[in-house]
Amino acid sequence: MATFEVESGAPLMGEATVHPAKNAVLPIITASLLTDGALHVPDMPELADVRALCELVGECGCDVRREGDGMTFQTRTPTLPSSAHAMRCTRASVLIMGPLLARLGSARVTMPGGCAIGQRPIDLHLKGMAALGAEIVNRQGFVELRGTLRGGVIYLDLPSVGATENIMMAASLADGVTRIENAAKEPEIVDLAQCLSAMGAQIQGAGTGTLVVRGVKRLHGAVYQPIPDRIEAGTLCCAAAVAGGNILLRGARPEHMRALLFKLQEAGTVISEFPGGLRVRGKAQWPMEVRTMSYPGFPTDLQAPMMVVACNTPGTSVFLETIFENRFMHIPELTRMGASIRVEDRVAVIEGGYPLQGAQVGCPDLRSGAALILAGLTAEGVTRVEDAQGHIDRGYERFDQTLSSLGARVRRLP
Ligand code: EPZ
């Protein structure tokens, strides 16, 4: 539970350091279940989703130790999780499936309850496990899997990030070679593959549509630092494109952010890259067309923040959300702030350039919440984002402090 109060103010100035990526560290935490060795992450972001997943892997027999900025994970004797509660706290809980099945020969996950942005099925995860030889039973709201895994060939109907990660982890200890066709290509997939390789896995093709995993008998511990968060960095780029100014994002990896950076440059924001980060200057000037796609397309996680840029930019912008079926929940809240947005199914048409009005708004999901804080940066009057579910802290480490350090007038109410 948190409430953020935002007032419009001066353009953003200064520099911020990008934290390690939420969507990279979460699968790496579950990968620690694959070995009895110690997996050390030197710098772990402080996020509610990380805490929730650490609690869950702890229920699976993993010894989780916080050591300064880092964490160490060691699973000498893996077990099936007992409580459904820990499995429901984060969507990433589904990622214990592959590691437990590979290490224990059995796994149990809750049927996904879906979440705000969509139904979030796991059929592709299960299709992959079945192709590796698992037997699957739905029982009392749980999905139970068992079997000794052998290599197989899987075609993913959709380049699902989570399914690619689960299958890659399961295949790393399967007997034989596994090929995943139409695999997801996100940087977080490559990062997980690199971490698994550091643990002794044999993986080729990560980042391409065809992933090949040659199973090994066992994996060992490793020290691995995940990549910086391209979505946090992208959200801050959008903040600068909304409020104007000149900010430096230390640690940002432009090569992971091409779609966003091109779109912002087309809209008139000046982006300069340098070893170790990037600089963002000036408000967006021109309307845009954004179509969310799997990587390397425009990331769905930046659709809401980018729509706030469009609200502040004169002209007609068009957004098409192709990944999730219900990812426009920021729109009713933006409309309460005076935004002019028409929605037809998965298409949103924004008439931008009209000043937004500060208002009391809700926080329907993680990225919508961040977007509404960005909307408050230029709205007339005070905006209060009421994050009753604590969404923002799930995916951004001290987001209010990061923005305040750049000169934004954002504060977390006690
Ligand atoms: C990951 O979710 C990210 N989460 C999401 O970030 C991100 O939006 C998403 O990938 C897309 O990039 C983590 O990495 C923890 P998918 P994931 O499987 O793996 C459908 C955030 O804000 N699908 O690639 O759940 C699914 O319904 C979060 O940080 C199936 O139909 O995404 C969706 O429409 C939100 N069957 C599409 O595929 C399946 O078995 C993409 O889902 C699996 C997915």
Side-chain angles (χ1 to χ4, degrees):
M1 167 68 186
T3 298
F4 298 91
E5 190 174 82
V6 192
E7 290 182 76
S8 57
L12 302 185
M13 303 297 279
E15 61 184 70
T17 300
V18 180
H19 296 98
K22 168 177 85 78
N23 292 347
V25 301
L26 293 175
I28 285 171
I29 289 170
T30 61
S32 67
L33 297 169
L34 286 163
T35 175
D36 59 1
L39 177 60
H40 179 65
V41 175
D43 182 10
M44 180 68 82
E46 291 179 31
L47 300 169
D49 265 10
V50 168
R51 289 191 289 273
L53 199 59
C54 285
E55 183 190 332
L56 178 57
V57 298
E59 285 201 15
C60 298
C62 181
D63 174 35
V64 180
R65 294 190 303 277
R66 168 65 78 173
E67 294 161 358
D69 292 336
M71 296 187 86
T72 299
F73 304 86
Q74 186 154 20
T75 312
R76 293 183 182 82
T77 313
T79 58
L80 292 183
S82 47
S83 84
H85 169 72
M87 284 189 260
R88 286 213 176 91
C89 283
T90 167
R91 158 78 183 178
S93 60
V94 70
L95 296 175
I96 64 171
M97 180 196 294
L100 283 179
L101 191 52
R103 184 91 187 277
L104 260 184
S106 65
R108 181 195 301 137
V109 295
T110 52
M111 276 308 282
C115 65
I117 62 176
Q119 202 253 335
R120 310 296 293 273
I122 60 169
D123 57 306
L124 297 176
H125 299 242
L126 300 178
K127 175 180 182 181
M129 299 307 145
L132 298 181
E135 289 169 21
I136 299 165
V137 175
N138 291 344
R139 196 195 312 268
Q140 295 167 336
F142 288 95
V143 180
E144 297 183 350
L145 304 95
R146 69 181 66 258
T148 302
L149 299 185
R150 62 180 190 286
V153 179
I154 297 113
Y155 169 74
L156 291 178
D157 306 64
L158 284 164
S160 158
V161 171
T164 302
E165 291 167 342
N166 244 333
I167 298 165
M168 182 162 59
M169 290 191 282
S172 61
L173 290 179
D175 179 16
V177 178
T178 295
R179 195 169 86 243
I180 307 171
E181 293 291 355
N182 198 25
K185 305 175 188 173
E186 274 70 3
E188 293 77 21
I189 300 286
V190 176
D191 213 28
L192 175 61
Q194 287 177 348
C195 178
L196 291 169
S197 301
M199 296 163 66
Q202 295 185 17
I203 300 171
Q204 290 169 336
T208 74
T210 300
L211 248 168
V212 178
V213 184
R214 179 178 298 278
V216 294
K217 285 283 178 231
R218 62 185 295 278
L219 295 176
H220 51 72
V223 178
Y224 191 81
Q225 182 53 47
I227 54 174
D229 197 320
R230 63 192 172 100
I231 305 302
E232 179 192 30
T235 307
L236 294 172
C237 289
C238 291
V242 166
N246 181 341
I247 64 170
L248 183 63
L249 298 179
R250 289 205 179 287
R253 299 273 293 273
E255 68 273 22
H256 293 164
M257 304 168 64
R258 288 281 166 242
L260 172 79
L261 298 181
F262 276 122
K263 277 292 159 187
L264 284 175
Q265 286 169 310
E266 286 169 16
T269 293
V270 177
I271 308 278
S272 16
E273 303 177 17
F274 63 94
L278 62 83
R279 181 175 288 281
V280 190
R281 275 194 300 269
K283 289 188 176 190
Q285 309 292 326
W286 300 295
M288 60 202 74
E289 289 199 8
V290 172
R291 171 194 292 264
T292 65
M293 300 288 281
S294 298
Y295 194 87
F298 190 93
T300 174
D301 296 345
L302 289 174
Q303 178 255 108
M306 191 66 159
M307 192 174 288
V308 178
V309 178
C311 289
N312 282 272
T313 309
T316 303
S317 294
V318 180
F319 280 57
L320 172 60
E321 171 57 55
T322 72
I323 304 294
F324 288 107
E325 66 268 26
N326 188 30
R327 208 165 195 181
F328 279 159
M329 285 178 304
H330 44 289
I331 292 178
E333 303 302 322
L334 287 171
T335 305
R336 282 146 58 87
M337 296 177 71
S340 169
I341 307 174
R342 284 196 332 275
V343 175
E344 291 284 339
D345 192 20
R346 292 195 182 194
V347 177
V349 180
I350 298 98
E351 295 302 334
Y354 303 101
L356 298 180
Q357 309 298 319
Q360 196 155 321
V361 293
C363 177
D365 64 74
L366 165 58
R367 306 303 176 181
S368 295
L372 289 161
I373 289 178
L374 265 54
L377 295 178
T378 57
E380 289 165 5
V382 177
T383 298
R384 276 197 176 193
V385 181
E386 298 198 330
D387 184 5
Q389 310 290 318
H391 286 302
I392 294 171
D393 288 337
R394 282 186 38 226
Y396 295 94
E397 183 173 335
R398 290 190 276 274
F399 191 52
D400 50 313
Q401 292 181 22
T402 302
L403 286 172
S404 303
S405 73
L406 295 170
R409 296 165 68 183
V410 180
R411 69 191 185 97
R412 179 189 295 254
L413 298 184

